Amino acid sequence: MEACRGDMTDGGADESPLLLPFSYQDTEANRQRNYFVPSNMPNICDIYLGFSTVPGYTSWRNSQRGSWFVQSLIDVFSEHAAREDLCSLMTKVNQKVALSFESQGGKLTKRKQVPAPVNMLTKKLYFFPEYAR
């Protein structure tokens, strides 16, 4: 599916450095490590938004353990962040929230929730890239 969501356009970015390590030196080896944003990239990219629920719906929480979303983030990231990329982790979070939780009590019994991530990443993002292989 495709549809416009407004009338603004993105002119792209000039080549610019990302957050560089303190010890960065401008060498050929470091240039190959991709520390720079290429000049043909959109301005609005490499952003990941993790919303706890879809627009217009309630985000549930347990009065002792906290929100279902944060509980799931902690559980999934604690177990899998050393090996998996962010999108895979958040898919597991979606699954855990959707299948492992259900409201209880009163007229709001058996209510469910699913997170609503927004992914504008252009590459896989690993928190521990040295262990991801």
Side-chain angles (χ1 to χ4, degrees):
M1 297 179 73
E2 180 178 331
C4 289
R5 296 181 75 182
D7 56 5
M8 295 191 304
T9 61
D10 187 339
D14 294 330
E15 184 178 88
S16 60
L18 299 168
L19 294 175
L20 299 176
F22 181 73
S23 61
Y24 179 81
Q25 294 179 351
D26 191 16
T27 64
E28 185 60 30
N30 278 339
R31 280 198 154 279
Q32 290 178 3
R33 287 195 178 113
N34 203 14
Y35 287 127
F36 290 82
V37 175
S39 59
N40 61 347
M41 293 297 286
N43 284 313
I44 302 171
C45 68
D46 292 331
I47 298 169
Y48 193 98
L49 304 173
F51 293 102
S52 64
T53 191
V54 295
Y57 282 80
T58 299
S59 183
W60 293 90
R61 71 177 185 87
N62 176 287
S63 59
Q64 281 82 42
R65 298 197 64 214
S67 77
W68 299 352
F69 179 66
V70 173
Q71 287 179 58
S72 299
L73 276 174
I74 291 167
D75 292 347
V76 168
F77 277 54
S78 295
E79 185 175 345
H80 302 285
R83 295 175 308 282
E84 297 196 35
D85 68 284
L86 179 60
C87 292
S88 298
L89 293 167
M90 294 307 290
T91 299
K92 289 180 186 302
V93 170
N94 285 0
Q95 182 180 40
K96 186 170 181 72
V97 172
L99 300 177
S100 299
F101 294 94
E102 186 173 274
S103 67
Q104 298 175 7
K107 64 181 181 179
L108 297 178
T109 297
K110 296 191 177 229
R111 300 295 197 250
K112 303 293 285 181
Q113 175 181 334
V114 68
V118 177
N119 177 5
M120 293 171 272
L121 299 177
T122 60
K123 297 178 184 176
K124 288 186 175 185
L125 174 63
Y126 289 91
F127 292 101
F128 302 98
E130 63 274 16
Y131 302 114
R133 295 178 186 23

